[in-house]
Amino acid sequence: MSARPPPPPPLSASASTDPHQSHPHQPQTPTSTTMDTTTPSPTTAPLLGFQAWVSQAVVASFIAGGVAGAVSRTVVSPLERLKILLQVQTGSRTEYKMSISKALGKIWREEGFKGMMAGNGTNCIRIVPYSAVQFGSYNFYKRFFEASPGEPLSPARRLLCGATAGITSVTFTYPLDIVRTRLSIQSASFSSLSPSPSSNPSTPRRLPGMWATLRHMYATEGGLPALYRGIIPTVAGVAPYVGLNFMIYESVRHSFTPPDQTQPSPVGKLCAGAISGGVAQTCTYPLDVLRRRFQINTMSGMGYQYKGIFDAVKVIVGQEGVRGLYKGIAPNLLKVAPSMASSWLSFEMTRDFLVGLRPEEEEEGELR
């Protein structure tokens, strides 16, 4: 009979009962007691992906531009509406030929708060995509205007890049702009736009909304071309305006930046935005007047029918003088300072917040 094998030695007090620890009679298997922190968990991966996407330069500029547009236009909506009413008022009309404060008071008495904000809803629907496309396309086009990748643009290149962005944005959103103009004046107290004598004067007029106005213009004024009436003087005015705005803002912004800082203070950004907007608007204002006149050129009761841009300039100067090309500039300058100041400040704050969401540590090129 063969000898019985000896029993295994007893576990010592110092021996471990951990099943992962090697045993004298068991092969050692590699194990890891620490979690891999470099791979995101399934719950955080979508969030990190969204943060990486939204913090891209073009995307951040697009979103921040939309926010900036809505904020800036709502702040100055009453002055924006008064400017439009003055722009479309010909020499024979005196309904709003008064001081700015009296004209605003007239709107308040006759139409109330809704009158002060008339057209602002449509304006915000228009300005959010308009401003978003403008800032986003500027950042997109910037790479094509850089002398070398990442190099800051010269003033001339900023002017051209901004002009290209302005043309892009106005082309995408022009139908909403022409509807906004119609909505701004249709409730105004122009006598030729008043209800017919057969209607009850005590009954308030029911005014069409944005989509109803779009459908009406498309159906009765010539289809799609009606929604782009006046786009040539608009582009002629918007391109230099946006280009000047970007060029002047960056130059003035640099002047407001302290030597030991990379950015100006919020007050400096507000001042830079106000200066850039005021200068750019003053230089291009006559083209803005032409844009408004052409947008309502086919409305009955307004008293003018222009055949083209040069005919419009000739008629306006002949009937209203050179001052006719600058009608409404006073309320416009009053509004453009807070409008552009709040626009640039809200844009930079929103953009910086979105860029700060970037999960990666590597630096990207300058957004502007």
Side-chain angles (χ1 to χ4, degrees), residues 85 88-96 182 185-186 188-196 205 221 293 295-306:
L85 295 179
V88 301
Q89 182 174 261
T90 57
S92 60
R93 302 182 183 281
T94 59
E95 289 91 344
Y96 294 93
R182 297 288 183 96
I185 71 170
Q186 64 184 358
S189 58
F190 290 128
S191 58
S192 56
L193 298 179
S194 300
S196 60
R205 286 184 294 166
E221 298 184 24
R293 295 289 181 95
Q295 286 178 343
I296 62 170
N297 198 31
T298 58
M299 287 186 70
S300 60
M302 292 309 298
Y304 44 77
Q305 296 283 329
Y306 302 126

Side-chain angles (χ1 to χ4, degrees), residues 57-106:
V58 175
V59 178
S61 295
F62 183 88
I63 298 174
V67 173
V71 171
S72 62
R73 292 309 170 98
T74 302
V75 167
V76 297
S77 180
L79 289 170
E80 174 70 15
R81 192 193 176 209
L82 177 59
K83 181 200 75 170
I84 293 176
L85 295 179
L86 293 176
Q87 284 179 331
V88 301
Q89 182 174 261
T90 57
S92 60
R93 302 182 183 281
T94 59
E95 289 91 344
Y96 294 93
K97 192 174 183 180
M98 57 189 73
S99 66
I100 295 175
S101 59
K102 290 182 178 180
L104 289 174
K106 174 183 173 67

Side-chain angles (χ1 to χ4, degrees), residues 8-362:
L11 290 173
S12 63
S14 61
S16 173
T17 59
D18 187 351
H20 297 289
Q21 186 169 333
S22 61
H23 192 275
H25 298 280
Q26 294 179 350
Q28 185 173 357
T29 57
T31 59
S32 175
T33 58
T34 60
M35 295 182 62
D36 185 6
T37 58
T38 60
T39 303
S41 66
T43 57
T44 60
L47 177 60
L48 293 177
F50 175 76
Q51 290 179 343
W53 175 78
V54 81
S55 61
Q56 296 178 75
V58 175
V59 178
S61 295
F62 183 88
I63 298 174
V67 173
V71 171
S72 62
R73 292 309 170 98
T74 302
V75 167
V76 297
S77 180
L79 289 170
E80 174 70 15
R81 192 193 176 209
L82 177 59
K83 181 200 75 170
I84 293 176
L85 295 179
L86 293 176
Q87 284 179 331
V88 301
Q89 182 174 261
T90 57
S92 60
R93 302 182 183 281
T94 59
E95 289 91 344
Y96 294 93
K97 192 174 183 180
M98 57 189 73
S99 66
I100 295 175
S101 59
K102 290 182 178 180
L104 289 174
K106 174 183 173 67
I107 296 174
W108 178 264
R109 290 191 305 272
E110 295 179 352
E111 304 176 56
F113 179 77
K114 290 182 64 176
M116 302 290 279
M117 305 298 290
N120 186 60
T122 305
N123 197 23
C124 284
I125 293 175
R126 177 193 72 90
I127 201 62
V128 168
Y130 171 83
S131 185
V133 172
Q134 183 183 113
F135 281 99
S137 60
Y138 177 83
N139 198 272
F140 175 78
Y141 292 141
K142 188 186 70 169
R143 69 189 71 176
F144 302 106
F145 287 90
E146 292 174 345
S148 60
E151 182 179 344
L153 299 181
S154 65
R157 291 177 184 269
R158 289 189 189 279
L159 178 67
L160 293 175
C161 187
T164 307
I167 293 172
T168 303
S169 58
V170 78
T171 302
F172 273 96
T173 61
Y174 189 77
L176 292 174
D177 185 42
I178 192 172
V179 169
R180 187 276 301 255
T181 301
R182 297 288 183 96
L183 294 177
S184 293
I185 71 170
Q186 64 184 358
S187 63
S189 58
F190 290 128
S191 58
S192 56
L193 298 179
S194 300
S196 60
S198 59
S199 61
N200 187 356
S202 62
T203 303
R205 286 184 294 166
R206 183 176 179 83
L207 302 174
M210 179 181 67
W211 302 116
T213 303
L214 269 175
R215 290 194 300 268
H216 178 77
M217 290 181 62
Y218 184 87
T220 63
E221 298 184 24
L224 188 62
L227 301 180
Y228 280 87
R229 183 177 294 113
I231 192 172
I232 294 178
T234 299
V235 168
V238 166
Y241 169 73
V242 176
L244 285 170
N245 195 13
F246 275 98
M247 182 187 73
I248 297 172
Y249 177 77
E250 289 301 329
S251 301
V252 177
R253 182 182 186 274
H254 179 73
S255 301
F256 280 101
T257 303
D260 57 339
Q261 301 290 331
T262 59
Q263 292 193 46
S265 65
V267 175
K269 293 177 182 178
L270 286 171
C271 293
I275 293 172
S276 65
V279 173
Q281 187 73 83
T282 302
C283 293
T284 60
Y285 191 78
L287 292 168
D288 192 46
V289 172
L290 290 175
R291 169 174 64 143
R292 300 302 179 194
R293 295 289 181 95
F294 274 100
Q295 286 178 343
I296 62 170
N297 198 31
T298 58
M299 287 186 70
S300 60
M302 292 309 298
Y304 44 77
Q305 296 283 329
Y306 302 126
K307 300 175 182 178
I309 296 177
F310 295 106
D311 178 64
V313 173
K314 179 181 177 181
V315 172
I316 292 173
V317 174
Q319 295 180 353
E320 308 170 47
V322 177
R323 295 180 61 181
L325 296 174
Y326 285 89
K327 278 191 171 181
I329 193 172
N332 189 64
L333 290 178
L334 285 178
K335 85 172 182 66
V336 79
S339 174
M340 293 311 304
S342 60
S343 175
W344 277 109
L345 179 62
S346 56
F347 167 76
E348 292 213 28
M349 291 178 64
T350 307
R351 181 204 60 188
D352 292 345
F353 170 77
L354 294 175
V355 172
L357 297 177
R358 185 188 308 124
E360 295 83 10
E361 294 296 331
E362 64 267 14

